Amino acid sequence: MRAILKISLISLFILTSQLSFAGSFVDSATVISVEKVYKNYRVDEPYQECYIQETVQSGDGSATNELFGAAIGGAIGNKLGKGDGKDALTLFGALMGASIANDAEKLANTNGKKVISQEVCENKTRQVIEKRLSHYLVTVDYAGRDVSFKSNRRPSKDVIKIEVTVDGLGN
């Protein structure tokens, strides 16, 4: 019985030592090189586009002259009209007064046209590509081998501490 137990323990020891072992520890490594690695990012950039827009206007944009002409023309038509034609002549006088005032205003404004220049601005966006620092590619000499890894921090010393993870199979 003891012999079977000894053989079983020895077999178990040999089997577990051959299967695998894993672990990690901290060691030192010499920095060989540090490279900056950049990435391209697409960014929306707002900008404002401004230009001068010219518009042609007839008159001064106000109806004051036409209304005043219509009132005077209506009053004259009302005084001249008699009987059933008084309302018609009042309406005709108002329309003629407004028309005469409009024509006079057009003649005063260089053939009835007035050019207005104004600045018009539009908000727009354009896509630009920006090159931004993504990370550092650090290469170290560890146990005679070059090992590279990504880092968000640039090493400040020539010899740095690294974490070594061992994951071995007994093959």
Side-chain angles (χ1 to χ4, degrees):
M1 180 67 101
R2 283 186 165 187
I4 293 175
L5 186 58
K6 280 185 182 180
I7 292 173
S8 296
L9 283 174
I10 292 172
S11 297
L12 183 62
F13 175 73
I14 292 172
L15 205 66
T16 57
S17 68
Q18 291 295 316
L19 282 178
S20 69
F21 61 93
S24 65
F25 59 93
V26 176
D27 203 355
S28 296
T30 304
V31 176
I32 298 172
S33 68
V34 178
E35 278 184 61
K36 293 179 181 179
V37 178
Y38 292 90
K39 259 186 159 177
N40 290 331
Y41 292 91
R42 187 180 310 247
V43 180
D44 286 339
E45 180 180 87
Y47 69 98
Q48 195 174 53
E49 186 175 278
C50 297
Y51 54 92
I52 305 237
Q53 183 178 41
E54 292 184 344
T55 55
V56 178
Q57 257 187 355
S58 296
D60 63 359
S62 170
T64 304
N65 295 338
E66 287 82 355
L67 291 174
F68 188 67
I72 290 176
I76 293 172
N78 190 22
K79 289 288 182 189
L80 297 176
K82 295 181 183 170
D84 289 338
K86 188 173 191 174
D87 289 341
L89 201 54
T90 301
L91 179 62
F92 178 75
L95 292 174
M96 285 305 294
S99 177
I100 291 169
N102 186 33
D103 291 344
E105 186 177 338
K106 284 181 180 178
L107 284 174
N109 286 331
T110 321
N111 297 331
K113 294 183 182 175
K114 184 176 182 182
V115 177
I116 296 176
S117 297
Q118 63 183 8
E119 182 179 40
V120 177
C121 294
E122 297 175 359
N123 293 326
K124 296 184 174 186
T125 57
R126 63 179 153 237
Q127 289 189 340
V128 295
I129 303 296
E130 283 186 4
K131 191 176 183 180
R132 295 183 188 167
L133 183 61
S134 174
H135 60 274
Y136 298 99
L137 182 62
V138 180
T139 304
V140 295
D141 177 18
Y142 179 71
R145 292 185 176 181
D146 290 353
V147 179
S148 297
F149 59 92
K150 291 180 183 181
S151 176
N152 288 334
R153 295 176 189 231
R154 182 183 185 96
S156 59
K157 300 177 183 175
D158 292 337
V159 177
I160 61 171
K161 300 222 180 271
I162 59 170
E163 183 176 345
V164 179
T165 302
V166 179
D167 184 18
L169 295 175
N171 298 340

